[in-house]
Amino acid sequence: MTTTVPLSLERLDKDGDHDDLCLHIGAYRHTCDSYYLAIDESPTASRHLGADLARLLEQWRDQVDELKGKGGTAYLPYDFSDQCTAWLRVTSVDGRDAEVSAGWNGVEGWSINPSNYVETAPEITDFKPLPDAQIECSLDDLSQRIALNAEAHAASQH
């Protein structure tokens, strides 16, 4: 599998559920909280952060895989805050290659279950991309990179 796509959602070596995650997309870094993953009480949530992160990333991969062959746009959340959320926007014109951009919108983090965010993704209409927070890659490579990231979290016992 490939690891050449410069994208990951990593746990930082910190206690607690604030400033304990970091999104890497190209040279851009964004520190965020696992707090909303920890309080997710939906049936698909677990009580282990590693499993919750793996579940989030598995949803990312499912959405990326849906773009293969037909193209379109998918939104993948990575930061849940009280008054807004941060997402990756994956856009593919041809169903093979994609542009991935990090950005924000006005959907509140408390209104989303991270373990089942797909219902909320269509509500993303005010996405504001961040400058210097984008990459280009193939959908296949992106899907494989997300899968590797999910597997690493699933193996974590914390």
Side-chain angles (χ1 to χ4, degrees):
M1 285 192 186
T2 184
T3 59
T4 59
V5 175
L7 175 72
S8 64
L9 183 60
E10 303 298 330
R11 291 177 67 187
L12 302 175
D13 190 20
K14 297 182 87 175
D15 289 331
D17 50 18
H18 295 287
D19 294 329
D20 60 331
L21 301 176
C22 186
L23 174 82
H24 303 259
I25 178 170
Y28 178 79
R29 303 289 181 266
H30 175 81
T31 302
C32 50
D33 303 336
S34 65
Y35 177 74
Y36 279 100
L37 280 82
I39 64 170
D40 185 343
E41 294 184 359
S42 67
T44 50
S46 91
R47 294 294 152 236
H48 301 285
L49 181 55
D52 289 337
L53 287 167
R55 170 76 181 132
L56 180 70
L57 291 165
E58 288 163 4
Q59 293 175 90
W60 285 16
R61 185 176 188 197
D62 289 346
Q63 285 199 272
V64 167
D65 287 347
E66 286 180 19
L67 299 177
K68 291 179 182 178
K70 63 180 182 179
T73 300
Y75 289 96
L76 320 175
Y78 63 89
D79 189 352
F80 303 85
S81 298
D82 292 342
Q83 297 178 343
C84 59
T85 45
W87 300 69
L88 297 173
R89 178 179 62 193
V90 180
T91 304
S92 177
V93 175
D94 61 7
R96 287 188 320 270
D97 296 314
E99 178 181 281
V100 184
S101 301
W104 292 91
N105 74 32
V107 175
E108 298 93 348
W110 54 264
S111 69
I112 303 171
N113 289 320
S115 64
N116 188 18
Y117 73 83
V118 177
E119 297 171 358
T120 306
E123 296 175 23
I124 308 307
T125 58
D126 62 342
F127 182 81
K128 295 171 187 67
L130 297 167
D132 302 321
Q134 65 270 337
I135 58 171
E136 293 182 4
C137 59
S138 75
L139 289 170
D140 284 335
D141 287 349
L142 180 60
S143 179
Q144 290 176 10
R145 179 65 189 118
I146 293 169
L148 287 172
N149 199 178
E151 289 170 13
H153 288 299
S156 171
Q157 297 299 312
H158 303 290

Coordinates of all heavy atoms in Angstrom, one line a residue, residues 1-93:
M1 N 0.8 -1.2 0.0 CA 0.0 0.0 0.0 C 0.9 1.3 0.0 O 2.0 1.2 0.5 CB -0.9 0.0 1.2 CG -2.0 -0.9 1.2 SD -3.2 -0.5 2.5 CE -4.3 -1.9 2.3
T2 N 0.3 2.3 -0.5 CA 1.0 3.5 -0.6 C 0.9 4.4 0.7 O -0.1 4.3 1.3 CB 0.6 4.4 -1.8 OG1 1.4 5.5 -1.9 CG2 -0.9 4.8 -1.7
T3 N 1.9 5.1 1.0 CA 1.9 6.1 2.1 C 2.3 7.4 1.6 O 2.7 8.3 2.3 CB 2.7 5.6 3.3 OG1 4.1 5.5 2.8 CG2 2.2 4.3 3.9
T4 N 2.4 7.6 0.2 CA 2.9 8.8 -0.3 C 2.0 10.0 -0.2 O 2.4 11.1 -0.4 CB 3.3 8.6 -1.8 OG1 2.1 8.2 -2.5 CG2 4.4 7.6 -2.0
V5 N 0.7 9.8 0.1 CA -0.2 10.9 0.2 C 0.0 11.6 1.5 O -0.1 11.0 2.6 CB -1.7 10.4 0.1 CG1 -2.7 11.6 0.3 CG2 -2.0 9.8 -1.3
P6 N 0.4 12.9 1.5 CA 0.7 13.6 2.8 C -0.6 14.0 3.5 O -0.9 15.2 3.6 CB 1.5 14.8 2.3 CG 1.0 15.1 0.9 CD 0.6 13.7 0.3
L7 N -1.3 13.0 4.1 CA -2.5 13.3 4.8 C -2.6 12.3 5.9 O -2.4 11.1 5.7 CB -3.7 13.2 3.9 CG -5.1 13.3 4.6 CD1 -5.3 14.7 5.0 CD2 -6.2 12.8 3.7
S8 N -2.9 12.8 7.2 CA -3.1 11.9 8.3 C -3.8 12.7 9.4 O -3.7 13.9 9.5 CB -1.8 11.3 8.8 OG -1.0 12.3 9.3
L9 N -4.5 11.9 10.2 CA -5.1 12.4 11.5 C -4.4 11.6 12.6 O -4.7 10.4 12.7 CB -6.6 12.2 11.5 CG -7.4 12.8 12.7 CD1 -7.1 14.3 12.8 CD2 -8.8 12.5 12.6
E10 N -3.6 12.3 13.4 CA -2.7 11.6 14.3 C -3.1 12.0 15.8 O -3.5 13.1 16.0 CB -1.3 11.9 14.1 CG -0.8 11.6 12.7 CD -0.8 10.1 12.4 OE1 -0.7 9.3 13.3 OE2 -1.0 9.8 11.2
R11 N -2.9 11.1 16.7 CA -3.0 11.4 18.1 C -1.7 11.9 18.6 O -0.7 11.4 18.3 CB -3.4 10.1 18.9 CG -4.8 9.6 18.5 CD -5.1 8.3 19.2 NE -5.2 8.5 20.7 CZ -5.3 7.5 21.5 NH1 -5.4 6.3 21.1 NH2 -5.4 7.8 22.8
L12 N -1.8 12.9 19.4 CA -0.6 13.5 20.0 C -0.4 12.8 21.4 O -1.4 12.3 22.0 CB -0.7 15.0 20.2 CG -1.0 15.8 18.9 CD1 -1.2 17.2 19.2 CD2 0.2 15.6 17.9
D13 N 0.8 12.8 21.9 CA 1.1 12.2 23.1 C 0.7 13.1 24.3 O 1.6 13.8 24.9 CB 2.6 11.8 23.2 CG 2.9 10.9 24.4 OD1 2.0 10.3 24.9 OD2 4.1 10.9 24.7
K14 N -0.6 13.2 24.5 CA -1.1 14.1 25.6 C -2.2 13.4 26.3 O -3.0 12.6 25.7 CB -1.7 15.4 25.0 CG -0.6 16.2 24.2 CD -1.3 17.5 23.7 CE -1.2 18.5 24.8 NZ -1.7 19.8 24.5
D15 N -2.4 13.7 27.5 CA -3.6 13.2 28.3 C -4.8 14.2 28.0 O -4.6 15.3 27.7 CB -3.3 13.2 29.8 CG -2.3 12.1 30.2 OD1 -2.2 11.1 29.5 OD2 -1.6 12.3 31.2
G16 N -6.0 13.6 28.2 CA -7.1 14.4 28.0 C -7.7 14.4 26.6 O -7.1 13.7 25.7
D17 N -8.7 15.2 26.4 CA -9.4 15.2 25.1 C -9.4 16.6 24.4 O -10.3 16.9 23.6 CB -10.8 14.6 25.2 CG -11.6 15.2 26.3 OD1 -11.2 16.3 26.8 OD2 -12.6 14.6 26.7
H18 N -8.4 17.4 24.8 CA -8.2 18.7 24.2 C -6.8 18.9 23.6 O -5.9 18.4 24.3 CB -8.5 19.8 25.2 CG -10.0 19.8 25.6 ND1 -11.0 20.3 24.8 CD2 -10.5 19.5 26.8 CE1 -12.1 20.1 25.5 NE2 -11.9 19.7 26.7
D19 N -6.7 19.4 22.4 CA -5.4 19.6 21.7 C -4.6 18.3 21.7 O -3.4 18.2 21.8 CB -4.6 20.6 22.4 CG -5.2 22.0 22.3 OD1 -5.8 22.3 21.3 OD2 -5.0 22.8 23.3
D20 N -5.4 17.2 21.4 CA -4.7 15.9 21.4 C -4.7 15.2 20.1 O -4.2 14.0 19.9 CB -5.4 14.9 22.5 CG -6.9 14.7 22.2 OD1 -7.5 15.6 21.6 OD2 -7.3 13.6 22.6
L21 N -5.2 15.9 19.0 CA -5.2 15.3 17.7 C -4.5 16.3 16.8 O -4.5 17.5 17.0 CB -6.6 15.1 17.2 CG -7.5 14.1 17.9 CD1 -8.9 14.1 17.3 CD2 -6.9 12.7 18.0
C22 N -3.9 15.9 15.7 CA -3.3 16.8 14.7 C -3.6 16.3 13.3 O -3.3 15.1 13.0 CB -1.8 16.9 14.9 SG -1.1 18.1 13.9
L23 N -4.2 17.1 12.5 CA -4.4 16.8 11.1 C -3.2 17.3 10.3 O -2.7 18.4 10.5 CB -5.6 17.6 10.5 CG -5.8 17.4 9.0 CD1 -6.5 16.1 8.7 CD2 -6.5 18.6 8.4
H24 N -2.6 16.5 9.5 CA -1.5 16.8 8.6 C -2.1 16.7 7.2 O -2.6 15.7 6.8 CB -0.4 15.8 8.7 CG 0.2 15.7 10.1 ND1 1.3 16.3 10.5 CD2 -0.3 15.0 11.2 CE1 1.6 16.0 11.7 NE2 0.6 15.2 12.2
I25 N -2.0 17.8 6.4 CA -2.3 17.8 5.0 C -1.3 18.6 4.3 O -1.2 19.8 4.4 CB -3.7 18.3 4.7 CG1 -4.0 18.3 3.2 CG2 -4.0 19.6 5.4 CD1 -5.5 18.5 2.8
G26 N -0.4 17.9 3.5 CA 0.8 18.6 3.0 C 1.6 19.2 4.1 O 1.9 18.5 5.1
A27 N 2.0 20.4 4.0 CA 2.8 21.1 5.0 C 2.0 21.7 6.1 O 2.5 22.1 7.1 CB 3.7 22.2 4.4
Y28 N 0.6 21.7 5.9 CA -0.3 22.3 6.9 C -0.5 21.4 8.1 O -0.7 20.2 7.9 CB -1.6 22.6 6.2 CG -2.6 23.2 7.1 CD1 -2.6 24.6 7.5 CD2 -3.7 22.4 7.6 CE1 -3.5 25.1 8.3 CE2 -4.6 23.0 8.5 CZ -4.6 24.3 8.8 OH -5.5 24.8 9.7
R29 N -0.5 21.9 9.3 CA -0.8 21.2 10.5 C -1.9 21.9 11.3 O -1.9 23.1 11.4 CB 0.4 21.1 11.4 CG 1.6 20.5 10.8 CD 1.5 19.0 10.6 NE 2.6 18.4 10.0 CZ 2.8 18.2 8.7 NH1 1.9 18.6 7.8 NH2 3.9 17.5 8.2
H30 N -2.8 21.1 11.8 CA -3.9 21.7 12.6 C -4.2 20.8 13.9 O -4.5 19.7 13.7 CB -5.2 21.8 11.8 CG -6.4 22.3 12.6 ND1 -6.6 23.6 12.9 CD2 -7.4 21.6 13.2 CE1 -7.7 23.8 13.6 NE2 -8.2 22.6 13.8
T31 N -4.0 21.4 15.0 CA -4.2 20.7 16.3 C -5.7 20.9 16.7 O -6.3 22.0 16.6 CB -3.3 21.3 17.4 OG1 -2.0 21.1 17.0 CG2 -3.5 20.5 18.7
C32 N -6.3 19.8 17.1 CA -7.7 19.8 17.4 C -8.0 18.8 18.6 O -7.1 18.2 19.1 CB -8.6 19.5 16.2 SG -8.2 18.0 15.3
D33 N -9.3 18.7 19.0 CA -9.7 18.0 20.1 C -10.4 16.7 19.8 O -11.1 16.6 18.8 CB -10.7 18.8 21.0 CG -10.1 20.1 21.4 OD1 -8.9 20.3 21.5 OD2 -11.0 21.0 21.7
S34 N -10.3 15.7 20.6 CA -11.0 14.4 20.5 C -12.3 14.5 21.3 O -13.0 13.5 21.4 CB -10.2 13.2 20.8 OG -9.9 13.3 22.2
Y35 N -12.6 15.6 21.9 CA -13.7 15.8 22.9 C -15.0 15.2 22.3 O -15.7 14.5 23.0 CB -13.8 17.2 23.3 CG -15.0 17.5 24.3 CD1 -14.9 17.1 25.6 CD2 -16.1 18.1 23.8 CE1 -16.0 17.3 26.4 CE2 -17.2 18.3 24.6 CZ -17.1 17.9 26.0 OH -18.2 18.1 26.8
Y36 N -15.4 15.7 21.2 CA -16.7 15.2 20.6 C -16.7 13.8 20.2 O -17.8 13.2 20.2 CB -17.1 16.1 19.5 CG -17.7 17.4 19.9 CD1 -17.0 18.6 20.0 CD2 -19.0 17.5 20.4 CE1 -17.5 19.8 20.4 CE2 -19.6 18.7 20.9 CZ -18.8 19.8 20.9 OH -19.4 21.0 21.4
L37 N -15.6 13.2 20.0 CA -15.5 11.7 19.8 C -15.7 11.0 21.1 O -16.4 10.0 21.2 CB -14.2 11.3 19.2 CG -14.0 11.5 17.7 CD1 -13.6 12.9 17.3 CD2 -13.0 10.5 17.1
A38 N -15.2 11.6 22.2 CA -15.3 11.0 23.5 C -16.7 11.0 24.0 O -17.2 10.1 24.8 CB -14.4 11.7 24.5
I39 N -17.5 12.0 23.7 CA -18.9 12.2 24.2 C -19.9 11.6 23.2 O -21.1 11.7 23.5 CB -19.2 13.6 24.6 CG1 -19.2 14.6 23.4 CG2 -18.3 14.0 25.7 CD1 -19.7 15.9 23.7
D40 N -19.5 11.1 22.1 CA -20.5 10.5 21.1 C -21.2 9.3 21.7 O -20.5 8.4 22.1 CB -19.7 10.1 19.9 CG -20.6 9.6 18.7 OD1 -21.7 9.3 18.9 OD2 -20.0 9.6 17.6
E41 N -22.5 9.4 21.9 CA -23.2 8.3 22.5 C -24.1 7.5 21.5 O -25.0 6.8 21.9 CB -24.1 8.9 23.6 CG -23.3 9.4 24.8 CD -24.2 9.9 25.9 OE1 -25.4 9.9 25.8 OE2 -23.6 10.4 26.9
S42 N -23.8 7.7 20.2 CA -24.6 6.9 19.2 C -24.2 5.5 19.3 O -23.2 5.1 19.8 CB -24.4 7.5 17.8 OG -23.0 7.3 17.4
P43 N -25.1 4.6 18.8 CA -24.8 3.2 18.8 C -23.5 2.7 18.1 O -23.0 1.7 18.4 CB -26.0 2.5 18.1 CG -27.1 3.6 18.2 CD -26.4 4.9 18.2
T44 N -23.0 3.5 17.2 CA -21.8 3.2 16.4 C -20.6 3.7 17.1 O -19.5 3.4 16.6 CB -21.9 3.7 15.0 OG1 -22.2 5.1 15.0 CG2 -22.9 3.0 14.1
A45 N -20.7 4.4 18.2 CA -19.5 4.9 18.9 C -19.0 3.8 19.9 O -19.7 2.9 20.3 CB -19.9 6.1 19.7
S46 N -17.7 3.9 20.2 CA -17.1 3.0 21.2 C -16.7 3.8 22.4 O -16.9 5.0 22.4 CB -15.9 2.3 20.6 OG -14.7 2.9 20.8
R47 N -16.0 3.3 23.3 CA -15.5 4.0 24.4 C -14.0 4.1 24.4 O -13.4 4.3 25.4 CB -16.0 3.4 25.8 CG -17.5 3.5 26.0 CD -17.9 4.9 26.2 NE -19.2 5.1 25.8 CZ -19.6 6.0 24.8 NH1 -18.7 6.8 24.3 NH2 -20.8 6.2 24.5
H48 N -13.4 3.8 23.2 CA -12.0 3.8 23.1 C -11.6 4.8 21.9 O -12.1 4.6 20.8 CB -11.4 2.4 22.8 CG -11.8 1.4 23.8 ND1 -11.1 1.4 25.0 CD2 -12.7 0.5 23.9 CE1 -11.7 0.4 25.8 NE2 -12.6 -0.1 25.1
L49 N -10.8 5.7 22.2 CA -10.4 6.7 21.2 C -9.8 6.1 20.0 O -10.2 6.5 18.9 CB -9.5 7.8 21.8 CG -9.1 8.9 20.9 CD1 -10.3 9.6 20.3 CD2 -8.1 9.9 21.6
G50 N -9.0 5.1 20.1 CA -8.4 4.5 18.9 C -9.5 3.9 18.0 O -9.4 4.1 16.8
A51 N -10.5 3.3 18.6 CA -11.6 2.7 17.8 C -12.4 3.8 17.2 O -12.9 3.7 16.1 CB -12.4 1.8 18.7
D52 N -12.7 4.9 18.0 CA -13.5 6.0 17.4 C -12.8 6.7 16.3 O -13.4 7.0 15.3 CB -13.8 7.0 18.6 CG -14.7 6.4 19.6 OD1 -15.5 5.5 19.3 OD2 -14.7 6.9 20.7
L53 N -11.5 6.9 16.4 CA -10.7 7.5 15.3 C -10.7 6.6 14.0 O -10.9 7.0 12.9 CB -9.3 7.8 15.7 CG -9.2 9.0 16.6 CD1 -7.8 9.1 17.2 CD2 -9.5 10.3 15.9
A54 N -10.6 5.3 14.3 CA -10.6 4.3 13.2 C -12.0 4.4 12.5 O -12.1 4.4 11.3 CB -10.3 2.9 13.7
R55 N -13.1 4.4 13.3 CA -14.4 4.5 12.7 C -14.6 5.8 11.9 O -15.2 5.8 10.8 CB -15.5 4.5 13.9 CG -16.9 4.8 13.5 CD -17.6 3.7 12.7 NE -18.9 4.1 12.4 CZ -19.4 4.0 11.2 NH1 -18.8 3.3 10.2 NH2 -20.6 4.4 10.9
L56 N -14.1 6.9 12.4 CA -14.2 8.2 11.7 C -13.5 8.0 10.3 O -14.0 8.4 9.3 CB -13.6 9.3 12.5 CG -13.6 10.7 11.8 CD1 -15.0 11.2 11.7 CD2 -12.7 11.6 12.6
L57 N -12.3 7.5 10.3 CA -11.5 7.3 9.1 C -12.1 6.3 8.2 O -12.0 6.4 6.9 CB -10.0 7.0 9.5 CG -9.3 8.1 10.1 CD1 -8.0 7.6 10.8 CD2 -9.0 9.2 9.2
E58 N -12.7 5.3 8.7 CA -13.4 4.3 7.8 C -14.5 5.0 7.1 O -14.8 4.7 5.9 CB -13.9 3.1 8.7 CG -12.8 2.2 9.1 CD -13.3 1.3 10.3 OE1 -14.5 1.3 10.6 OE2 -12.4 0.6 10.8
Q59 N -15.2 5.9 7.7 CA -16.3 6.7 7.0 C -15.6 7.6 5.9 O -16.2 7.7 4.8 CB -17.0 7.5 8.0 CG -17.9 6.8 9.0 CD -18.5 7.7 10.0 OE1 -19.6 8.2 9.8 NE2 -17.8 7.9 11.1
W60 N -14.5 8.2 6.3 CA -13.8 8.9 5.2 C -13.5 8.1 4.0 O -13.8 8.5 2.9 CB -12.4 9.4 5.8 CG -12.4 10.5 6.7 CD1 -13.4 11.1 7.5 CD2 -11.2 11.3 7.1 NE1 -12.9 12.1 8.3 CE2 -11.6 12.2 8.0 CE3 -9.9 11.2 6.7 CZ2 -10.7 13.1 8.6 CZ3 -9.0 12.1 7.2 CH2 -9.4 13.1 8.2
R61 N -13.0 6.9 4.3 CA -12.6 6.0 3.2 C -13.8 5.6 2.3 O -13.8 5.6 1.1 CB -11.9 4.8 3.7 CG -11.4 3.9 2.5 CD -10.6 2.7 3.0 NE -10.0 2.1 1.8 CZ -9.5 0.9 1.9 NH1 -9.6 0.2 3.0 NH2 -9.0 0.3 0.8
D62 N -14.9 5.3 3.0 CA -16.2 5.0 2.3 C -16.6 6.1 1.4 O -17.0 5.9 0.2 CB -17.3 4.6 3.3 CG -17.1 3.3 4.0 OD1 -16.2 2.5 3.6 OD2 -17.8 3.1 5.0
Q63 N -16.5 7.3 1.9 CA -16.9 8.5 1.0 C -16.0 8.7 -0.1 O -16.4 9.0 -1.2 CB -17.0 9.7 1.9 CG -18.3 9.7 2.7 CD -18.6 11.1 3.2 OE1 -18.1 11.6 4.2 NE2 -19.4 11.8 2.4
V64 N -14.7 8.5 0.1 CA -13.7 8.6 -1.0 C -13.9 7.5 -2.0 O -13.9 7.8 -3.2 CB -12.3 8.6 -0.4 CG1 -11.2 8.4 -1.6 CG2 -11.9 9.8 0.4
D65 N -14.2 6.3 -1.6 CA -14.4 5.2 -2.5 C -15.7 5.4 -3.4 O -15.7 5.0 -4.5 CB -14.5 3.9 -1.8 CG -13.1 3.4 -1.2 OD1 -12.1 4.0 -1.7 OD2 -13.1 2.5 -0.4
E66 N -16.7 6.1 -2.8 CA -17.9 6.4 -3.6 C -17.6 7.4 -4.8 O -18.4 7.4 -5.7 CB -19.0 7.0 -2.7 CG -19.6 6.0 -1.8 CD -20.7 6.7 -0.9 OE1 -21.2 7.8 -1.2 OE2 -21.0 6.0 0.1
L67 N -16.5 8.1 -4.7 CA -16.2 9.1 -5.8 C -15.5 8.4 -6.9 O -15.4 8.9 -8.0 CB -15.3 10.2 -5.2 CG -15.8 11.1 -4.2 CD1 -14.8 12.1 -3.7 CD2 -17.1 11.8 -4.6
K68 N -15.0 7.2 -6.7 CA -14.2 6.5 -7.7 C -15.1 6.1 -8.9 O -16.2 5.6 -8.8 CB -13.6 5.2 -7.2 CG -12.5 5.4 -6.2 CD -11.9 4.1 -5.7 CE -10.9 4.3 -4.6 NZ -10.4 3.0 -4.1
G69 N -14.6 6.5 -10.1 CA -15.3 6.1 -11.3 C -16.3 7.2 -11.8 O -16.7 7.2 -12.9
K70 N -16.9 7.9 -10.8 CA -17.9 8.9 -11.2 C -17.6 10.3 -10.8 O -18.2 11.3 -11.4 CB -19.2 8.5 -10.6 CG -19.3 8.5 -9.0 CD -20.6 8.1 -8.5 CE -20.6 8.2 -7.0 NZ -21.8 7.8 -6.4
G71 N -16.7 10.6 -9.8 CA -16.4 11.9 -9.4 C -17.4 12.5 -8.5 O -18.3 11.8 -8.0
G72 N -17.2 13.7 -8.1 CA -18.1 14.4 -7.2 C -17.3 15.0 -6.1 O -16.1 15.2 -6.2
T73 N -18.0 15.4 -5.0 CA -17.4 16.0 -3.8 C -17.9 15.3 -2.6 O -19.0 14.9 -2.4 CB -17.8 17.5 -3.8 OG1 -17.4 18.2 -4.9 CG2 -17.2 18.2 -2.5
A74 N -16.9 15.1 -1.7 CA -17.2 14.5 -0.4 C -16.6 15.4 0.7 O -15.6 16.1 0.5 CB -16.6 13.1 -0.3
Y75 N -17.3 15.5 1.9 CA -16.8 16.2 3.0 C -16.5 15.3 4.1 O -17.3 14.5 4.5 CB -17.8 17.3 3.4 CG -18.0 18.4 2.4 CD1 -19.0 18.4 1.5 CD2 -17.1 19.5 2.4 CE1 -19.1 19.4 0.5 CE2 -17.2 20.5 1.5 CZ -18.2 20.4 0.6 OH -18.3 21.4 -0.4
L76 N -15.3 15.4 4.7 CA -14.7 14.5 5.7 C -14.4 15.4 7.0 O -13.4 16.1 6.9 CB -13.5 13.8 5.2 CG -13.5 13.3 3.8 CD1 -12.2 12.7 3.4 CD2 -14.7 12.3 3.6
P77 N -15.1 15.2 8.1 CA -14.8 16.1 9.2 C -13.6 15.7 10.0 O -13.3 14.5 10.1 CB -16.1 15.9 10.1 CG -16.5 14.5 9.8 CD -16.2 14.3 8.3
Y78 N -12.9 16.6 10.6 CA -11.7 16.3 11.4 C -11.6 17.2 12.7 O -10.9 16.8 13.6 CB -10.4 16.5 10.6 CG -10.1 17.9 10.1 CD1 -9.4 18.8 10.9 CD2 -10.5 18.3 8.8 CE1 -9.0 20.0 10.4 CE2 -10.2 19.5 8.4 CZ -9.5 20.4 9.2 OH -9.2 21.7 8.7
D79 N -12.4 18.2 12.8 CA -12.4 19.1 14.0 C -13.8 19.5 14.3 O -14.5 20.1 13.5 CB -11.5 20.3 13.8 CG -11.3 21.1 15.1 OD1 -11.9 20.8 16.1 OD2 -10.5 22.0 15.1
F80 N -14.3 19.0 15.5 CA -15.6 19.3 16.0 C -15.5 20.4 17.1 O -14.9 20.1 18.2 CB -16.3 18.1 16.5 CG -16.3 17.0 15.5 CD1 -15.2 16.1 15.3 CD2 -17.4 16.8 14.7 CE1 -15.3 15.1 14.4 CE2 -17.5 15.8 13.7 CZ -16.4 14.9 13.6
S81 N -16.0 21.6 16.8 CA -15.9 22.6 17.8 C -17.3 23.1 18.2 O -18.3 22.8 17.4 CB -15.1 23.8 17.3 OG -13.8 23.4 17.0
D82 N -17.5 23.8 19.2 CA -18.8 24.2 19.7 C -19.6 25.0 18.6 O -20.8 24.8 18.4 CB -18.7 25.1 20.9 CG -18.3 24.3 22.1 OD1 -18.4 23.0 22.1 OD2 -17.9 24.9 23.1
Q83 N -18.9 25.9 17.9 CA -19.7 26.8 17.0 C -19.4 26.6 15.5 O -20.0 27.2 14.7 CB -19.3 28.3 17.3 CG -19.8 28.6 18.7 CD -19.4 30.1 19.1 OE1 -18.6 30.7 18.5 NE2 -20.1 30.6 20.1
C84 N -18.5 25.6 15.2 CA -18.2 25.3 13.8 C -17.5 23.9 13.7 O -17.2 23.3 14.8 CB -17.4 26.4 13.2 SG -15.8 26.6 14.0
T85 N -17.3 23.5 12.5 CA -16.5 22.3 12.3 C -15.5 22.5 11.2 O -15.8 23.3 10.3 CB -17.5 21.1 12.0 OG1 -18.4 21.5 11.0 CG2 -18.2 20.5 13.2
A86 N -14.5 21.7 11.2 CA -13.5 21.7 10.1 C -13.6 20.4 9.3 O -13.8 19.3 9.9 CB -12.1 21.9 10.7
W87 N -13.5 20.5 8.0 CA -13.7 19.4 7.2 C -12.6 19.4 6.1 O -12.0 20.4 5.8 CB -15.0 19.5 6.4 CG -16.2 19.5 7.4 CD1 -16.6 20.5 8.2 CD2 -17.2 18.5 7.5 NE1 -17.7 20.2 8.9 CE2 -18.1 18.9 8.5 CE3 -17.4 17.2 6.9 CZ2 -19.2 18.2 8.8 CZ3 -18.5 16.5 7.3 CH2 -19.4 17.0 8.2
L88 N -12.4 18.2 5.5 CA -11.6 18.1 4.3 C -12.7 18.0 3.2 O -13.7 17.2 3.3 CB -10.8 16.8 4.3 CG -9.7 16.7 5.3 CD1 -9.1 15.3 5.3 CD2 -8.7 17.8 5.1
R89 N -12.5 18.8 2.1 CA -13.3 18.7 0.9 C -12.5 17.9 -0.1 O -11.4 18.3 -0.5 CB -13.7 20.1 0.4 CG -14.6 20.0 -0.8 CD -14.9 21.4 -1.3 NE -13.7 22.1 -1.7 CZ -13.7 23.4 -1.9 NH1 -14.8 24.1 -1.8 NH2 -12.6 24.1 -2.2
V90 N -13.1 16.8 -0.5 CA -12.4 16.0 -1.6 C -13.2 16.2 -2.8 O -14.4 15.8 -2.9 CB -12.4 14.5 -1.2 CG1 -11.7 13.7 -2.3 CG2 -11.7 14.3 0.2
T91 N -12.6 16.7 -3.9 CA -13.3 17.0 -5.1 C -12.6 16.2 -6.2 O -11.4 16.3 -6.4 CB -13.3 18.5 -5.5 OG1 -13.9 19.2 -4.4 CG2 -14.1 18.7 -6.7
S92 N -13.4 15.4 -7.0 CA -12.9 14.7 -8.2 C -13.7 15.0 -9.4 O -15.0 14.8 -9.3 CB -12.8 13.2 -7.9 OG -12.4 12.5 -9.0
V93 N -13.1 15.5 -10.4 CA -13.9 15.7 -11.7 C -14.0 14.4 -12.5 O -15.1 14.2 -13.1 CB -13.1 16.8 -12.5 CG1 -13.8 17.0 -13.8 CG2 -13.1 18.1 -11.7

